[in-house]
Each structure stands twice: as structure tokens, then as C-alpha cells.
Amino acid sequence: MARVVKFFKTGGPEVLQIIEEPVAAPAAGELQISVRAIGVNRAEVMFRNGQYLEAPQLPARLGYEAAGTITAVGEGVSDFKVGDVVSTVPAFSQNQYGVYGDLVNVPASATVKHPASLSWVEAASVWMQYMTAYGALVEFADTQPGEFVLIPAASSSVGVAAIEIANMIGAIPIALTRFSGKRDALLKAGAKHVIATEEEDLVQQVNKITDNKGARVVFDPVSGPTLAKLAEATAPSGIIFQYGALSSEAAPFPLFTVLGKHLTIRGYTLFEISTNPERFARATQFILKGLTEGKLKPTVAKTFPFEQIVEAHRYMESNQQIGKIVITL
């Protein structure tokens, strides 16, 4: 028997329930993991709300990121053994697998042996954030040293990861946050510049920082009305990666700015990297190198015990955090 988190209807954090149920032996191609820490992600909040890329098949499990020890190995798996210390990569549907539990089965193809130097909490804070940022900034944008990268919602775990990766490749991260209360923390996280968008003129500040050139790469999980301002702040022939929809407001398409500057606005998700074996291998190598060299170090905002999963989701929705929210077991 294992404790797992399920929800029987979509809605707020209160719909999450901890129940006990049997866990089958891992099937072919699967691993069974005794979980020590779980990373909480915005994608799981949206899945719980029924506002994600896929609708939950109720009753539903959820969860993409866990770190723990392998307790059993399914048929056909040769790269892992019982006792290996691993963490999971978001490379599966939450309708097929969910790692909010103390004993879970996951695909071996979505599992990585993480550096032994990482704590359980840190290991549960790696793959969603770093692989998402890597895919846009490195794999697709091929961001070069000295180029400006504009990072809205910079205090999120993916935002902080984007700051670190920009620094790792020699780019110049410009962090966006609504209010200046997070400015010092973002500068400490490695942002070269911080713009408080509710207190400062976004376009004016970007032009000032970039000497009126704009940022070639924009990495945006918000969308909404701010998309027009982001387009204005983007360099000619630049690219805007739209990887989320945190704003509930409509996003009018900035047609004339896009035409006049020859901009690319590109929909993007982590799964373009995590479900493509060649891209997955490049991303994993890049991230493990960064972790080993200390250039990438997960920022943990707050931890909650497993029994407080509802409170953890409430904290995520409060938008107070800088970095990752983690569940411990």
C-alpha cells in the first residue's frame, strides 16, 4: 500500500486528497521509486483546476517531479538497478503517471540519475525548471554570449532557472517582476537587471538597458495584455517563447509590431525536449554539467510535509515564492 494524492473533481487546492491504495509491480520499461521529495509545479495546479493542456481523467493523480530511491525495476530496463538514487523528468502524461505519492511507478525513459551532491529537496527541483529554460534559450534560440534575454515572472522556479542558464551561457538576463519587493532576491539569483512592471515602464526600461536595441530572446509564461509590451521590447528579428498562460486576460496579437520588426512568437513546451531522445540527451548533459560545476543550483522557496499538500498548492497560488516549492516525505 502507498499514500497517493488524488482529486475526484477539478477545483481549488482543497480538492486534493491523500488516500491509500495498492501499487502494482513496475511494468515493462518502468521503475518503482520510494519517493523522498516532490517538486510542485504550476502545471500541476493548472491540471488540478482543469485548465491544463490535457483534461484530467477523474479520479486523477498528478505530479511530474520526484526524487527518491529505486525499489524495483521492470522488464527490459537495463540502465537502472534497485538502490539507484534518481529523479523524474516531466516526459509523460499526468493521466498515465503521477508522482504525488510515497511509492510510485514511472517510465525509465523519464528518469535520471542525479548528482550525489544534491539533497533530496534539490533533486526534486531540477528537471521541470532547467529543461524548460534550456529548451527555449539554448536548443531553439541558440542564445549567444552578450545577448539580452527578457524573463517575465522571473521569481518562478523556471524564471530563476532561466536566469542561471542565461548566465551560464554568457547572456544578459533581464528579470521582470510585478513589484520591486523581489528585486534584491532576483539580483541575488543572478539577474543583471530587474524591472518592476507595475512600477516602471517596461518598454522604456528595456530600451534603456539595451541601448534601444531590445532583447533578442523573450521567455514568457504570462501572455495576456503584456504581450504587446513584450513585442515592443523585443529586438528586430527577435523571438518570443510563449510557454504559459498565467494571465487570465486575453492576449491581443500585436500584429503591426510583429510585422514591423519581423518577430517570431513561438508556442513552446518542455515536452518538445523531454520526449525527443536526441534533445533530451543534449539537455540532460547540459544540465548535469551545470549542476556538477555549481553553475546551476536549485533555489528552494519553501518545503512542506506530504500531509500539507493542500497548503503547498495554496502557497503556489499566492505567488509569494522565489524558486521551487517542494514536498518532503
Side-chain angles (χ1 to χ4, degrees):
M1 299 293 289
R3 295 181 301 162
V4 301
V5 175
K6 282 190 169 182
F7 58 102
F8 293 78
K9 62 180 180 180
T10 58
E14 67 280 356
V15 303
L16 297 177
Q17 299 180 36
I18 297 175
I19 63 174
E20 289 195 3
E21 65 178 23
V23 179
E30 292 182 344
L31 304 172
Q32 190 167 91
I33 299 174
S34 175
V35 175
R36 299 293 299 273
I38 299 164
V40 179
N41 296 290
R42 186 72 59 174
E44 293 138 20
V45 170
M46 297 175 72
F47 188 66
R48 187 206 73 218
N49 280 331
Q51 299 172 337
Y52 193 48
L53 296 171
E54 58 177 342
Q57 298 172 9
L58 301 172
R61 294 184 62 165
L62 75 170
Y64 278 127
E65 288 187 285
T69 304
I70 295 175
T71 56
V73 176
E75 184 181 349
V77 176
S78 57
D79 294 336
F80 298 93
K81 65 182 186 302
V82 172
D84 281 347
V85 172
V86 295
S87 46
T88 62
V89 180
F92 47 81
S93 165
Q94 290 183 95
N95 280 319
Q96 292 181 286
Y97 299 93
V99 300
Y100 281 19
D102 54 17
L103 187 68
V104 301
N105 292 330
V106 295
S109 59
T111 309
V112 174
K113 299 174 187 176
H114 58 255
S117 59
L118 297 183
S119 68
W120 292 118
V121 168
E122 289 172 329
S125 307
V126 170
W127 298 107
M128 174 69 86
Q129 62 193 46
Y130 288 122
M131 198 169 279
T132 301
Y134 164 89
L137 272 57
V138 179
E139 184 76 25
F140 294 126
D142 190 25
T143 308
Q144 296 299 304
E147 290 190 323
F148 291 97
V149 179
L150 200 57
I151 307 170
S155 61
S156 69
S157 59
V158 178
V160 173
I163 290 171
E164 289 184 301
I165 287 178
N167 283 322
M168 185 173 167
I169 60 180
I172 304 168
I174 304 173
L176 303 187
T177 185
R178 292 180 62 200
F179 301 101
S180 56
K182 294 181 178 180
R183 184 184 301 275
D184 288 346
L186 288 169
L187 290 170
K188 185 177 179 181
K192 295 297 187 291
H193 306 274
V194 178
I195 301 172
T197 57
E198 296 286 336
E199 302 170 9
E200 302 172 274
D201 186 301
L202 191 164
V203 178
Q204 185 181 78
Q205 290 300 311
V206 171
N207 284 337
K208 180 180 177 181
I209 291 165
T210 65
D211 195 23
N212 292 315
K213 295 176 181 176
R216 187 181 74 82
V217 180
V218 179
F219 184 53
D220 179 40
V222 182
S223 190
T226 306
L227 178 61
K229 293 182 180 180
L230 293 177
E232 288 185 55
T234 304
S237 300
I239 183 168
I240 299 173
F241 289 93
Q242 204 64 61
Y243 74 96
L246 295 180
S247 174
S248 59
E249 298 181 69
F253 185 71
L255 176 61
F256 288 104
T257 306
V258 170
L259 290 174
K261 289 186 169 186
H262 316 117
L263 302 182
T264 299
I265 299 180
R266 187 195 192 286
Y268 164 71
T269 73
L270 159 71
F271 300 103
E272 293 182 73
I273 304 297
S274 66
T275 61
N276 179 295
E278 292 181 358
R279 292 172 181 164
F280 181 94
R282 287 194 294 268
T284 302
Q285 182 180 23
F286 179 95
I287 293 163
L288 290 176
K289 183 175 186 290
L291 291 169
T292 301
E293 293 178 352
K295 294 177 180 177
L296 303 178
K297 184 169 177 60
T299 298
V300 177
K302 193 170 183 178
T303 63
F304 292 83
F306 185 71
E307 294 75 17
Q308 292 182 12
I309 186 65
V310 171
E311 289 79 359
H313 269 234
R314 287 200 180 112
Y315 185 67
M316 166 70 80
E317 293 186 333
S318 76
N319 295 319
Q320 297 176 54
Q321 75 276 11
I322 297 175
K324 196 81 168 188
I325 300 167
V326 181
I327 303 296
T328 58
L329 294 92

